[in-house]
Amino acid sequence: MSAWLIDAALVARENAYAPFSKFKVGAAIEDDTGRIHTGCNVENATYGLTVCAERIAVFKALSEGARKFVRVAVVADTETLTPPCGACRQILWEFCGDVEIVLANLSGKCETLRLGTLFPRAFDASFL
Ligand code: THU
């Protein structure tokens, strides 16, 4: 149910540490047991060490033992819905495959698409 997932991402977004960009992002990932794992962006004064909300959510989930994922929600305060950045698309592809991605904003706008649409012809372990 994506409404719960969006809500979880909205709550996680409140914890964003984004003093440099002021751009707060929340993410939530549902695993195959129905458990929800959340993340927010965490910035760094060096800028380059900033980690996006999506990657924090994936790594938290993995570190808790989750391995299969069915849906990912990403929430930001933008009129045009914010999609995962390129680095996050690569990480999401590695661990979630062609998962459902739910984009939402604070005004209730949302859209669901598949990662394969956002990230076609991905490089992954099948090439190795
Ligand atoms: N950011 C995310 O957390 N996820 C995205 O998909 C896009 C960008 C963060 C990184 C940085 O803290 C801020 O948004 C501005 O780029």
Side-chain angles (χ1 to χ4, degrees):
M1 176 63 175
S2 61
W4 291 347
L5 203 63
I6 291 170
D7 279 350
L10 273 166
V11 171
R13 180 180 169 276
E14 290 304 311
N15 291 327
Y17 176 75
F20 308 111
S21 73
K22 319 274 189 223
F23 191 83
K24 293 173 151 198
V25 184
I29 302 188
E30 183 181 341
D31 70 24
D32 64 340
T33 71
R35 191 170 166 202
I36 292 175
H37 310 266
T38 60
C40 61
N41 51 327
V42 178
E43 298 189 342
N44 186 272
T46 63
Y47 294 10
L49 290 177
T50 290
V51 185
C52 293
E54 297 91 322
R55 270 175 287 159
I56 296 219
V58 172
F59 294 148
K60 277 176 64 188
L62 291 165
S63 71
E64 296 297 328
R67 285 295 182 274
K68 289 201 172 107
F69 304 98
V70 295
R71 205 167 289 113
V72 181
V74 182
V75 174
D77 186 17
T78 53
E79 175 52 31
T80 300
L81 297 172
T82 298
C85 78
C88 289
R89 293 178 201 201
Q90 182 72 44
I91 295 295
L92 288 168
W93 185 263
E94 178 87 15
F95 296 107
C96 307
D98 193 17
V99 73
E100 263 188 22
I101 307 281
V102 183
L103 307 178
N105 68 12
L106 302 194
S107 320
K109 183 173 170 187
C110 66
E111 179 185 353
T112 301
L113 60 170
R114 290 216 163 250
L115 184 57
T117 309
L118 282 174
F119 200 49
R121 295 191 66 172
F123 176 80
D124 59 24
S126 68
F127 290 92
L128 300 176

